[in-house]
Amino acid sequence: MFFKLIDRGIATRALFALCAMVALAGALSAQTYQKPPRAVLDVLNAPVPPVGALGPTHEYMLLAQGVRYPPLSELAQPMLRLAGMRINPNTTGRHRAPYYVALTLKKVSDGSERKVELPAGAQASFPVWSADGRRFAFTNTTPSGIELWAGDAAAARVWKLKGVAVSAVYGTPVQWMPDNRTLLVQTVPARRGAVPAEETVPKAPNIQESSGRPGPVRTYQDLLKDPHDADLFDYYATAQLALVDAESGKAKTLGAPAVFETAEPSPDGAHLLVARLQRPYSFLHPADDFPKEVEVWGRDAKVEHKLASLPLADEVPIEGVPKGPRSYRWHPTEPATLVWAEALDDGDPRKKVPHRDRILSLKAPFAGQPSEVFKTEHRFRGLDWEERGELMFVRD
């Protein structure tokens, strides 16, 4: 009798479990996405507030409308994790780069607004104004690449500059030249060839040495892992500088393709401040720390002055800065004057020194020694200028 009771208990529990599984399977097969109440949905789906881009003359403002939730088609785009960046190989741009789906031109004096007609399915970058406030430019990301567009503020009209493929992986993709008609654009090199193939058998072992100069090692993500990653980074980040007429779209290339951290025109338009990344790349640091050549080019892309050859920034102390020139900029109210900061404490905040940083300047034709503007006991984190042209700085 005892054994029969146990068998009956086991059978009862097994039958109960089977019924529960059948009921659960039925519920799952009929399940759909559940939605919260309408009041909650209204909050979650409320339009994103537009972002304003005020023109330099304060006559017009562009209101850029973003999106709150990207579509799955965008999230499913391929992604390469290279040198601290996430790259979309289909577009030669960043993966999940922010974009805007609508532009509205607002006249500041009377508050009137006009909608700017963008192409269907537009993914526009934040617009960039020309210095005279008459034109603006932006990029439009498509599934196969990044287009260049320009617009007229008075007419609230935009047009595509055909034949220009923008490279937006690294550096500043689009900026205005001082003539307010020409755009300095990083374009995809016309002859960059096929994507580097990964070799099944490596050419050499992957060797990393801990000997040599000591330096702090921070934790970064998405770094280069091997020589093939370095080749992929070169392939997608290398850009060709070009001067593009904002009306006709006619383009003139400048110099050889490179990975440009900086390509900034001087206020008189006669020079370019250029910083190019150089090999060997690091597997422990992101692209911003890679070696670089900092130069001044003429409009013919010939080197007029070398500001610095900066090594890999692998010895920067915690909370410190690299040695040598940094935060290099053009002075905005002078035709062609370089301004930059340099550390006086080897970039190490632990050192006791009377002055941390100094600001230097050098005017065209960039001959002789730079002039020291001033010293400070504080660390500069960035240089900027007021509208009057007076130098400002951001310190610790």
Side-chain angles (χ1 to χ4, degrees), residues 32-87:
T32 59
Y33 285 109
Q34 300 298 306
K35 295 183 179 181
R38 171 56 57 183
V40 176
L41 283 176
D42 290 342
V43 173
L44 296 177
N45 296 326
V48 179
V51 181
L54 182 63
T57 62
H58 298 180
E59 184 178 2
Y60 295 102
M61 174 186 286
L62 278 165
L63 300 175
Q65 182 69 51
V67 293
R68 190 177 298 277
Y69 308 114
L72 291 177
S73 58
E74 180 186 345
L75 299 177
Q77 286 291 303
M79 177 175 63
L80 300 177
R81 301 170 183 261
L82 301 172
M85 294 177 289
R86 298 180 179 184
I87 299 170

Side-chain angles (χ1 to χ4, degrees), residues 244-318:
V244 181
D245 186 276
E247 293 291 341
S248 66
K250 184 178 179 181
K252 176 185 176 182
T253 59
L254 284 176
V259 182
F260 293 99
E261 178 198 58
T262 300
E264 181 185 354
S266 60
D268 64 2
H271 314 275
L272 290 176
L273 174 58
V274 173
R276 299 175 292 121
L277 300 191
Q278 301 288 299
R279 287 198 183 224
Y281 297 148
S282 171
F283 296 164
L284 299 176
H285 297 266
D288 290 345
D289 291 341
F290 288 175
K292 54 183 71 77
E293 295 289 321
V294 186
E295 303 162 331
V296 176
W297 290 5
R299 287 290 290 260
D300 57 1
K302 292 182 179 179
V303 178
E304 298 178 332
H305 174 71
K306 177 176 285 189
L307 179 61
S309 293
L310 301 177
L312 175 69
D314 59 346
E315 297 181 19
V316 179
I318 301 298

